[in-house]
Amino acid sequence: MYTKRATKARVFSQIVVLALLASLLACCAHRSAAGVPAPIASVPRPTPASVAPSPVPPAVSTPSPVPSAAATPPVAATRPAPALTPSPAAPTDTCLPLPVAPDRPRYRFDVTADPATHRLHVRQAIALADPVRLQTGEIVFNVPTNGMTGVFALEAVRLALSPLQTEAADLLQPAAVLLEDSTLRVRLPTAATRAAILTVCLDYAVHLPPAGHEGISAIHALGWSELGMIAGYWYPVLAPYVAAATRGGGRWLITPYHPVGDPIVYETADYEVTVRAPTSHQVIAAGLTDAQQGVWRFRLDRARGFAFAVSDRLMASQADVQGISVRVYHLPEHDVAAQAALRGVQEALPLFVQAYGPYPYAELLIVEAVQFGGMEYSALMTFSRDWFAAYQPPSSDAGFGADLLVRFVVHELGHQWWYGVVGNDQAHEPWLDEGLARYGEVFYYETLHPAHLAWWEAPSRDMPTLPINQPIYHFSDTTTYVQAAYVSSTRFWLDVRRLMGPAAFTGFVQTYRERYQDRLAHEAEVLALLRDRLGPALDRLLSVYFR
């Protein structure tokens, strides 16, 4: 890891393993401790009785802003993040039918976060209006937290049918609940398979592990440290259902937990989240709508996922970048590094908006964390405390940008388009988002800091080219994984740009973004788009980069 700038300069090969590889892979994701009921076993069993519902306010969609071409204003001064004083109220024990958009799921969470016990207690509801999935007779979730020992404890599963009703008879128990490894299957009673809208309610506890200081693993998307709690991959995620015409079809897209890479895939969804925390702490997440008496409420629509942090130590520095509110949450002693992170966004965001299309959210949050490397989420990114501590302003002859923190801020920012706007199967086809996110680094340096391009290239220059069309499950070590999914896939995209020409490549990228916005793109579809533009020349690239 890098705790001193001299360390970074000393050994480029270490950068390959600890820096180039670090944030790249990650880019790649309660109640208190008393009396947690035993988890539901990995065999069919009835769930507890349903709780009578109460009314739910209707959902309101908020359109995502389109950045303007305004000049970047200066960075605002560092300010303390707000702290609230009264104690949070306990959540109500409800399981209610939810209204939902016809084209995407809706999640609602009520989370009690206890930093003292490193524990989250969660009441989750997810609603979907998808007859194809309902008619399979089950709802399937990917649960990455259950791939980690002693982290996830499922307590109850209930179902609610829509249209909205208020009688307990409209709340049903599932026919069976099976939790095995990182897959949760909720078998549906017949009435649920015929519902216009089905809401699945889950109660569970998450026991956060200590934050990892070394290595690169999805476990770093969840953890506690002296800086607070990071909840990245923290909840059961509705598994996509692959239609018959796509990738073999007629099946749930399961992503078993794996210690290398990102064992998850997110569909676009709407999120309504309440987090209750001690009033001495702040909850950091995108989409804040209200914060009173230790209760923080968030609404984030058309997002790939929802992540948050709970901390009593971080301060915020902020800037406005083309109408996007950008905030860096950091230790007070790392103010200079926070300003550098803001400047990196100020430079890269307008560049990416011009090349890719509008930034999809109203804000962008950057959070300093103990976890190794970096991680992207919708409108939020985390970065290692070591990178903040190691940052030094460039000397007069060095110029801005030749620093690991800035470099990977650029990388993670690219993921807001490649993972965020356009989703993909990060477990089985990780090259689709990682290659374009890393291409964004090249684009940033060659456009704005060409003198640093050699510095950027040096760590990976001598790496072999490996087949890029490999799932994370083919890799047992991070180095080989990064050589394939990051380094080799970037070379693929650079070769595509060379064959198309820069202007045509930008047009291709924008067409790709427009066609698959809010969807999951699959490898076969991307290659079909490329073949339309490259013709037989694509075959030459496939012989080099694909197996």
Side-chain angles (χ1 to χ4, degrees):
M1 305 195 75
Y2 295 95
T3 56
K4 297 182 180 178
R5 194 174 184 86
T7 306
K8 295 185 286 183
R10 187 170 61 245
V11 185
F12 265 134
S13 62
Q14 291 182 0
I15 298 179
V16 171
V17 177
L18 299 181
L20 168 66
L21 316 186
S23 184
L24 294 179
L25 163 62
C27 329
C28 6
H30 319 255
R31 207 150 79 187
S32 72
V36 181
I40 293 178
S42 300
V43 295
R45 67 179 265 189
T47 53
S50 301
V51 179
S54 57
V56 179
V60 178
S61 282
T62 304
S64 300
V66 177
S68 67
T72 301
V75 177
T78 302
R79 58 176 177 80
L84 305 176
T85 51
S87 300
T92 56
D93 188 7
T94 57
C95 176
L96 303 172
L98 297 179
V100 62
D103 60 338
R104 60 189 182 273
R106 179 185 176 197
Y107 290 84
R108 186 186 65 194
F109 297 93
D110 198 316
V111 182
T112 301
D114 186 354
T117 61
H118 322 306
R119 190 166 172 229
L120 308 175
H121 191 271
V122 184
R123 292 187 173 96
Q124 171 180 339
I126 177 171
L128 67 159
D130 184 348
V132 173
R133 278 191 264 213
L134 295 183
Q135 289 167 14
T136 67
E138 64 178 355
I139 299 297
V140 179
F141 296 87
N142 290 308
V143 192
T145 48
N146 205 53
M148 312 171 200
T149 303
V151 173
F152 182 79
L154 183 61
E155 299 169 353
V157 181
R158 299 181 296 279
L159 307 176
L161 308 184
S162 294
L164 295 176
Q165 306 262 338
T166 58
E167 297 185 14
D170 296 303
L171 302 173
L172 305 176
Q173 293 187 11
V177 176
L178 299 93
L179 177 60
E180 184 175 5
D181 298 325
S182 56
T183 304
L184 172 63
R185 296 180 181 273
V186 179
R187 300 281 166 79
L188 303 178
T190 301
T193 66
R194 300 169 180 167
I197 300 173
L198 175 69
T199 300
V200 181
C201 297
L202 308 172
D203 295 352
Y204 54 90
V206 179
H207 304 263
L208 274 65
H213 292 265
E214 299 179 355
I216 305 173
S217 171
I219 198 170
H220 296 325
L222 185 75
W224 65 269
S225 72
E226 64 271 22
L227 298 189
M229 309 167 78
I230 295 290
Y233 296 166
W234 59 279
Y235 59 92
V237 178
L238 177 67
Y241 190 78
V242 182
T246 309
R247 295 189 64 217
R251 61 186 179 83
W252 293 93
L253 186 49
I254 304 300
T255 56
Y257 181 79
H258 190 63
V260 176
D262 292 318
I264 197 66
V265 57
Y266 290 97
E267 297 176 289
T268 298
D270 297 335
Y271 288 85
E272 178 187 341
V273 182
T274 299
V275 181
R276 305 167 195 277
T279 55
S280 55
H281 288 62
Q282 62 178 324
V283 179
I284 302 166
L288 180 66
T289 61
D290 184 60
Q292 297 186 46
Q293 300 183 336
V295 180
W296 301 69
R297 303 185 190 279
F298 305 88
R299 181 67 183 266
L300 191 63
D301 288 347
R302 295 188 178 276
R304 288 289 164 187
F306 188 91
F308 66 92
V310 180
S311 178
D312 63 351
R313 295 192 58 191
L314 301 181
M315 303 181 71
S317 296
Q318 68 178 22
D320 183 275
V321 184
Q322 293 193 337
I324 305 301
S325 175
V326 182
R327 299 189 297 281
V328 181
Y329 292 85
H330 59 93
L331 290 171
E333 59 265 32
H334 294 160
D335 177 61
V336 173
Q339 300 300 321
L342 283 171
R343 182 176 171 185
V345 174
Q346 288 176 313
E347 291 188 338
L349 193 147
L351 186 69
F352 290 171
V353 167
Q354 183 178 21
Y356 304 155
Y359 177 77
Y361 308 109
E363 61 190 326
L364 175 67
L365 279 56
I366 295 173
V367 182
E368 180 178 352
V370 167
Q371 280 88 341
F372 185 69
M375 187 72 75
E376 81 278 0
Y377 310 98
S378 293
L380 186 148
M381 312 183 301
T382 64
F383 294 95
S384 169
R385 175 177 60 183
D386 290 335
W387 290 353
F388 276 84
Y391 180 80
Q392 295 180 12
S395 59
S396 59
D397 60 344
F400 180 75
D403 184 88
L404 295 177
L405 177 62
V406 174
R407 171 186 177 166
F408 290 121
V409 164
V410 173
H411 179 97
E412 303 294 354
L413 178 61
H415 272 301
Q416 299 302 313
W417 285 265
W418 318 123
Y419 148 83
V421 177
V422 177
N424 63 286
D425 182 348
Q426 294 175 278
H428 295 94
E429 297 173 345
W431 74 274
L432 287 177
D433 66 296
E434 296 299 352
L436 282 173
R438 191 168 181 269
Y439 166 78
E441 299 177 46
V442 183
F443 186 47
Y444 168 81
Y445 282 104
E446 67 184 9
T447 304
L448 300 178
H449 301 286
H452 295 327
L453 193 57
W455 170 85
W456 178 88
E457 292 174 331
S460 59
R461 183 180 296 120
D462 296 329
M463 285 187 176
T465 295
L466 301 178
I468 65 178
N469 58 330
Q470 301 185 65
I472 62 174
Y473 307 106
H474 283 187
F475 301 96
S476 59
D477 66 279
T478 297
T479 301
T480 308
Y481 170 67
V482 170
Q483 289 174 355
Y486 296 80
V487 175
S488 298
S489 61
T490 304
R491 293 170 182 168
F492 171 81
W493 287 117
L494 290 172
D495 278 347
V496 169
R497 186 179 68 170
R498 176 180 55 80
L499 291 172
M500 287 187 181
F505 181 75
T506 298
F508 163 79
V509 168
Q510 292 178 350
T511 297
Y512 174 50
R513 190 265 306 167
E514 292 168 358
R515 182 169 299 186
Y516 291 100
Q517 180 167 335
D518 294 332
R519 296 173 56 193
L520 293 175
H522 296 283
E523 178 182 287
E525 297 165 323
V526 176
L527 293 180
L529 281 179
L530 288 172
R531 188 168 294 281
D532 288 343
R533 288 157 177 79
L534 294 177
L538 178 62
D539 293 324
R540 295 193 292 273
L541 294 183
L542 296 182
S543 68
V544 174
Y545 294 102
F546 286 69
R547 60 169 33 156

